[in-house]
Amino acid sequence: MKEIIKINLDNEMDLILAHKRCMKIAEMCGMASSFQTRFATAVSEIARCSIAKGKNSVLVLGVNIIKSTQKEVAAIITDSVDLKNCNPEAFIYASKISNNMEYSYSNNQSITRISQPIASPGLLSETKIKSLIDYFKFEPPLSPYDEIRKKNIELIALSEKLTESENKYKQLANTLPILICIINERNNVLLVNESLENFLAKPLLNFDRKSLHSFIHPDDIDVILDGWSKAKRNHTVFFGETRIKNASDYTWHLVSITPNKAEDGTFNSWLVYFVDISAQKMVVETLKNNSELKMIQHELESANSKLRFKNKELEQFAYIASHDLQEPLRKIMIMLSRAGEHLSEDQRKQYYFDRITLAAGRLSNLIADVLNYSRIENKEQYFEEVDLNNVLLQVQSDLSMVIEEKNAIINVDPLPKVLGLDTQLGQLFYNLINNALKFNSTQPTVTISYGDIPKDETLVVNPENYEVISIADNGIGMDNKYSARIFDMFQRLHERDQYGGNGIGLALCRRIIENHNGLINFNSTPDEGTIFWIYLPKNKVSSPKILN
C-alpha cells in the first residue's frame, strides 16, 4: 500500500481530522459521494472505538494497487488492545457500512483494515498518488489544533535529532584514550569524557587553581593557568607539559587548550585534553646519556609529528561538535516560537512552555552576547570619519519602542565627528543608553553632553586631546566600590528577576573603547543616577596615557 498520511489517534480532535482526511482522499481518488461517506463513517467508527478503548492507536490512509486495473483506498488502524473484543457493536456497525473490512489480533496488536474500490482505477497513476502525498504533506492546517499538532511533531523530531547528535559526540569523546574536558570563559567545565571521569577521584566542575590542585603537580599549575589565560585572551592554542597524579605517582602528560571555533569564526568554549607522554619522557631521559639510541629519538620525533596531526584532527572534531550542538538550538528556538502561537495560557502552563521558551531564549541571548564580545577586534586600519550625531539618531530609532514605553526623556547635545568604526560606536552608545533606560525605577531622563571635562578628572593626561562625551541618567545608580568589577565579563549587580541581561554589555563597551584608543570612566550614586565619561582621541592617538 502507498501510504498517503498517518494520524495518531489520541483525542476527539484526532477523530475529526481522521474523518475529514478520509473524505478528502476518497474525493481526490474519484470515489462517488455516497461511497465517500460510507468509507469515512466506517473508519470514524473504528477510530472512535480506538480513542475510547485503545492504546497507542495509529491510523494510516493510503492507496492499494492490486493491479493496474484494480485499485482501492484503504485505511489501516493498529492498536495494542483487542479493539473488537472491547466494543463488538462498533465493529458490527462498521462492517454493515463497509463490505470490505478485515480484523485480526495477535502478539498484542490489533489490525483493522477498511477499503473501498476505486471506480476509475486507470486515472489513479503513480504521478497522481505522488500528488496526493504532497498535498497532505503541505496541506494548510485544518484548525489551530492541527497546526499545533504538526508543530509539536516537528519539534519532537528536532529534539530527537539533537539527542542523537549529542549521543554521537559523547560516544566519540568517550572512545578516545585521552583525558578530555570542555570549558567556557568563566572556567566552568561543560563536559568531561569517561576517561577523565574515571581518572579523577571526584567530579571536575571548574577549571581553576583549587580544582587543578587535586590532580595536577603543584609546580605545574601556574604554567597551565598562564596558558589558559593567554588562550582566552588571544583565542590561540596553548601546548604544554604537566604531571598528573595517578594512583601511586605523577605521570607526564601533554596538555592542549584549543578554542572551539564556530562557523562564523567566533569562540564560546575551549577543548582541553591531556595525552600520556610518560613513555616519551622516559626515552628522552635515556637519550641524554646513550648516543646509541639516536634512532629511537628519530622514531619519537615521528610519533610527535603524528601527535601534532592528531591535535589538528581534534581541533576539527571540536569544531564539528560545536556546530552540531548549536545548530539544533537555533532550529528549536524557531519551532518553539511557531508551536506557541496558538497555545492557550493553560496549555502553556501545563507543558511548561513559557519556562522552556525563557530558558532557550536566555541561552540564545547568552550565546549571542558572547559571540558579539568575541567579534570585537581592533580594526584601526579601517577607521573612517564617523558623525556621532548620525550614530545617536540610529540608536534612538533602535530604542524607540523602549523610549516610548517608559516615556523617557532623551537630551542630546550636538556631537563631534571622530575616527572609528560606526558599527562599534553604535553598539557602544546603544548599550549605555539601554542600560540607562533599563536600570531605572522612575521616568528615565538621559542627557548626552559634549565637551564638559569633569572637574576632578584624574584618569588621563591632557584630556584636551580627547573628545569627551558624557551620558548621564537618573536611574538606580550603584556604589562606586564596584568600579573594578562592572566592566568585567558576566558581572551582575542585581538578581536576574529584577533586571535582565547577561553582564556582558559594559565589558563590550570597554573593549570597543580600547579598540578606538580611548577610555571610559563613570561616577554613580545609589538611587540618584550614573554618569559615564567617554574619551575618544581627536586624532589617532597610539594609546591613552593613564595617570596612576
Side-chain angles (χ1 to χ4, degrees):
M1 184 179 76
K2 298 282 188 179
E3 179 180 319
I4 304 298
I5 191 168
K6 180 186 292 184
I7 302 173
N8 293 326
L9 300 175
D10 299 320
N11 53 52
E12 292 296 322
M13 295 299 296
D14 294 324
L15 180 61
I16 296 173
L17 293 176
H19 185 272
K20 287 184 176 181
R21 288 193 166 98
C22 283
M23 293 289 291
K24 190 65 179 178
I25 289 178
E27 176 191 354
M28 295 177 73
C29 289
M31 193 182 296
S33 298
S34 59
F35 288 106
Q36 293 176 25
T37 304
R38 295 170 68 88
F39 174 75
T41 303
V43 173
S44 298
E45 190 66 21
I46 304 304
R48 187 191 308 278
C49 173
S50 189
I51 291 172
K53 305 291 185 179
K55 184 179 180 182
N56 303 322
S57 305
V58 177
L59 166 63
V60 176
L61 298 172
V63 176
N64 187 30
I65 303 174
I66 302 171
K67 54 185 177 179
S68 60
T69 58
Q70 189 178 358
K71 299 174 184 176
E72 60 183 11
V73 177
I76 298 176
I77 298 176
T78 58
D79 204 299
S80 58
V81 172
D82 187 353
L83 294 179
K84 190 173 183 178
N85 186 48
C86 293
N87 193 344
E89 293 80 8
F91 279 77
I92 293 172
Y93 178 65
S95 62
K96 287 181 179 180
I97 299 173
S98 174
N99 295 324
N100 303 292
M101 179 173 169
E102 301 172 2
Y103 178 81
S104 64
Y105 178 76
S106 62
N107 298 324
N108 295 323
Q109 184 180 49
S110 65
I111 301 175
T112 306
R113 187 181 188 279
I114 303 171
S115 62
Q116 183 64 44
I118 298 170
S120 303
L123 298 178
L124 200 58
S125 62
E126 288 290 335
T127 303
K128 176 67 175 178
I129 294 174
K130 185 178 185 303
S131 69
L132 289 176
I133 296 173
D134 291 339
Y135 173 85
F136 287 98
K137 181 177 181 181
F138 302 105
E139 175 193 31
L142 300 178
S143 65
Y145 168 80
D146 188 29
E147 183 173 6
I148 293 172
R149 184 174 174 276
K150 286 183 177 180
K151 302 305 181 187
N152 284 338
I153 291 173
E154 293 176 1
L155 185 59
I156 291 171
L158 284 174
S159 178
E160 290 174 349
K161 288 182 180 179
L162 175 60
T163 302
E164 181 182 0
S165 175
E166 290 177 337
N167 291 337
K168 288 181 179 178
Y169 171 76
K170 291 179 180 179
Q171 183 179 6
L172 178 58
N174 290 334
T175 56
L176 295 173
I178 301 173
L179 311 181
I180 300 176
C181 66
I182 295 179
I183 54 178
N184 61 18
E185 292 208 28
R186 300 184 67 183
N187 301 338
N188 295 325
V189 177
L190 306 178
L191 180 68
V192 176
N193 74 336
E194 288 182 356
S195 298
L196 185 54
E197 282 182 341
N198 296 334
F199 190 91
L200 301 177
K202 59 181 180 179
L204 181 63
L205 303 178
N206 298 290
F207 197 80
D208 54 19
R209 183 178 296 275
K210 181 179 179 181
S211 298
L212 293 178
H213 194 271
S214 64
F215 67 100
I216 299 294
H217 194 286
D219 295 342
D220 300 339
I221 292 178
D222 286 336
V223 175
I224 295 178
L225 291 178
D226 289 343
W228 166 223
S229 177
K230 292 177 182 177
K232 283 196 298 183
R233 185 170 59 252
N234 302 324
H235 293 156
T236 55
V237 179
F238 166 75
F239 289 100
E241 295 180 355
T242 184
R243 286 159 289 182
I244 296 181
K245 184 190 299 183
N246 57 20
S248 58
D249 201 357
Y250 286 93
T251 57
W252 280 100
H253 282 70
L254 174 70
V255 57
S256 172
I257 302 177
T258 306
N260 268 343
K261 193 172 184 180
E263 286 181 325
D264 57 0
T266 58
F267 304 87
N268 54 21
S269 61
W270 276 257
L271 174 67
V272 181
Y273 60 88
F274 302 89
V275 181
D276 191 339
I277 57 170
S278 54
Q280 291 92 320
K281 278 288 185 181
M282 292 178 61
V283 173
V284 170
E285 291 297 324
T286 304
L287 288 175
K288 290 180 180 178
N289 301 313
N290 193 341
S291 60
E292 294 181 358
L293 295 179
K294 291 295 183 182
M295 290 300 296
I296 299 178
Q297 184 178 12
H298 176 73
E299 293 178 2
L300 178 60
E301 291 173 353
S302 176
N304 288 335
S305 177
K306 292 179 180 179
L307 182 60
R308 286 192 293 270
F309 176 78
K310 290 297 182 183
N311 290 341
K312 291 294 184 181
E313 287 185 332
L314 284 173
E315 291 179 24
Q316 183 68 16
F317 159 72
Y319 167 80
I320 293 173
S322 175
H323 173 270
D324 285 350
L325 292 176
Q326 291 180 24
E327 182 61 25
L329 173 62
R330 289 193 287 269
K331 293 181 180 178
I332 287 174
M333 288 288 294
I334 294 172
M335 297 313 302
L336 280 172
S337 176
R338 293 178 180 174
E341 290 176 358
H342 301 288
L343 288 179
S344 67
E345 288 299 322
D346 290 338
Q347 287 174 323
R348 297 177 76 93
K349 291 178 181 178
Q350 180 182 0
Y351 299 111
Y352 302 99
F353 197 88
D354 289 339
R355 295 187 185 181
I356 296 172
T357 303
L358 182 61
R362 187 178 299 160
L363 176 58
S364 178
N365 290 336
L366 178 59
I367 292 174
D369 286 345
V370 173
L371 292 183
N372 285 335
Y373 182 84
S374 64
R375 286 170 180 160
I376 298 299
E377 298 176 355
N378 193 334
K379 303 288 185 180
E380 184 177 358
Q381 62 270 31
Y382 301 115
F383 278 3
E384 297 177 349
E385 188 176 72
V386 178
D387 189 338
L388 294 182
N389 296 291
N390 295 335
V391 172
L392 259 293
L393 286 174
Q394 183 60 49
V395 170
Q396 289 183 80
S397 175
D398 294 340
L399 291 170
S400 59
M401 292 185 65
V402 180
I403 293 172
E404 182 178 349
E405 178 185 346
K406 294 200 171 187
N407 196 24
I409 300 172
I410 310 294
N411 302 312
V412 183
D413 283 353
L415 299 179
K417 296 179 180 179
V418 298
L419 290 176
L421 300 169
D422 58 349
T423 303
Q424 290 190 16
L425 292 173
Q427 186 72 53
L428 168 70
F429 283 100
Y430 180 94
N431 286 351
L432 293 176
I433 296 174
N434 187 46
N435 281 355
L437 299 173
K438 178 168 62 174
F439 297 104
N440 201 309
S441 57
T442 61
Q443 180 186 16
T445 298
V446 183
T447 302
I448 303 169
S449 304
Y450 163 59
D452 294 332
I453 300 175
K455 295 180 181 179
D456 58 346
E457 176 56 60
T458 59
L459 183 65
V460 298
V461 178
N462 301 324
E464 63 275 6
N465 292 334
Y466 296 86
E467 305 287 9
V468 183
I469 301 164
S470 64
I471 300 178
D473 65 61
N474 63 337
I476 61 174
M478 65 188 114
D479 197 318
N480 283 324
K481 69 182 181 179
Y482 298 117
S483 60
R485 289 177 47 194
I486 67 166
F487 292 108
D488 292 337
M489 287 280 286
F490 303 109
Q491 292 299 317
R492 294 175 50 85
L493 304 182
H494 308 279
E495 296 297 327
R496 191 180 299 277
D497 57 359
Q498 289 181 302
Y499 300 98
N502 296 307
I504 296 179
L506 289 180
L508 188 65
C509 290
R510 180 173 67 177
R511 191 165 184 182
I512 292 172
I513 286 292
E514 290 174 350
N515 285 351
H516 287 75
N517 299 313
L519 289 166
I520 186 169
N521 194 18
F522 81 98
N523 189 24
S524 185
T525 303
D527 301 323
E528 294 185 13
T530 303
I531 180 169
F532 282 91
W533 302 92
I534 299 171
Y535 297 82
L536 293 171
K538 292 182 177 179
N539 298 305
K540 281 195 175 181
V541 179
S542 59
S543 60
K545 296 181 180 179
I546 304 176
L547 290 175
N548 295 324

